[in-house]
């Protein structure tokens, strides 16, 4: 009888620890400027914004997507989740687009730089680890980040 209770308590403890770990999981936050509260996206629209197939929203706001540098974990996760292209395939895409006069999204050096740029640039759209979001930006979407650690990278 006591063994059964101990097993049940251990199970409940493990379950509670799992929920805490899940709650602390860092996500990918898609952000815009607070001055652009009307901007919202589904994943397909966001993909088209980042592939520069959509340049303006329904209200005529020019959209400016910004990326983190290639090889950063957040960019890799965002590319897999939203753009659905590997780095090599993305480079091929932008090589072709460049010759048609379309430049790739701006690349900023850090999550903090993306937050600062998006906060002050009308129509800018960025993504950062959710732990870097502050009140200067508006979160329009949270995406799961499979493989992220429970601490902010």
């Amino acid at each position: 009888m006591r063994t059964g209770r101990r097993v049940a308590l251990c199970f409940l403890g493990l379950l509670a620890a799992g929920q805490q770990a899940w709650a602390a999981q860092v996500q990918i936050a898609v952000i815009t400027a607070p001055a652009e509260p009307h901007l919202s996206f589904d994943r397909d629209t966001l993909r088209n914004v980042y592939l520069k197939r959509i340049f303006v929203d329904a209200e005529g706001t020019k959209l400016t997507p910004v990326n983190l540098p290639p090889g950063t974990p957040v960019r890799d996760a965002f590319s897999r989740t939203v753009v659905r292209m590997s780095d090599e395939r993305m480079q091929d895409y932008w090589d072709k687009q460049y010759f048609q006069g379309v430049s790739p999204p701006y690349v900023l050096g850090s999550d903090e730089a993306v937050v600062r740029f998006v906060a002050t640039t009308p129509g800018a759209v960025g993504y950062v680890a959710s732990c870097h979001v502050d009140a200067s930006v508006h979160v329009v979407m949270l995406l799961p980040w499979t493989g992220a650690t429970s601490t902010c990278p």
Side-chain angles (χ1 to χ4, degrees):
M1 189 71 141
R2 286 184 164 193
T3 303
R5 262 191 204 159
R6 286 185 185 158
V7 169
L9 287 174
C10 284
F11 178 74
L12 289 174
L14 289 173
L15 186 62
Q19 287 178 339
Q20 288 174 348
W22 182 82
Q25 185 73 32
V26 177
Q27 296 175 304
I28 301 169
V30 178
I31 57 174
T32 64
E36 308 290 346
H38 65 280
L39 291 178
S40 64
F41 308 98
D42 59 28
R43 284 190 192 192
D44 287 335
T45 303
L46 189 60
R47 179 177 194 259
N48 286 327
V49 168
Y50 268 85
L51 293 176
K52 289 200 166 178
R53 294 176 180 161
I54 296 175
F55 295 96
V56 295
D57 74 346
E59 296 183 13
T61 304
K62 180 185 172 205
L63 300 172
T64 306
V66 293
N67 261 331
L68 288 166
T72 56
V74 181
R75 179 172 170 161
D76 291 343
F78 181 81
S79 294
R80 276 186 276 114
T81 304
V82 174
V83 184
R84 299 185 298 265
M85 287 187 188
S86 66
D87 281 343
E88 295 81 24
R89 200 166 145 221
M90 183 72 82
Q91 188 60 47
D92 289 342
Y93 175 82
W94 285 116
D95 287 347
K96 291 174 186 168
Q97 293 300 308
Y98 184 77
F99 288 108
Q100 295 178 6
V102 180
S103 298
Y106 295 124
V107 176
L108 300 174
S110 67
D111 292 80
E112 293 81 9
V114 170
V115 168
R116 282 193 309 269
F117 181 83
V118 168
T120 58
T121 307
V125 181
Y127 59 86
V128 294
S130 58
C131 55
H132 291 288
V133 171
D134 60 26
S136 68
V137 292
H138 178 67
V139 176
V140 294
M141 184 186 296
L142 286 172
L143 301 166
W145 185 0
T146 307
T149 61
S150 61
T151 59
C152 193

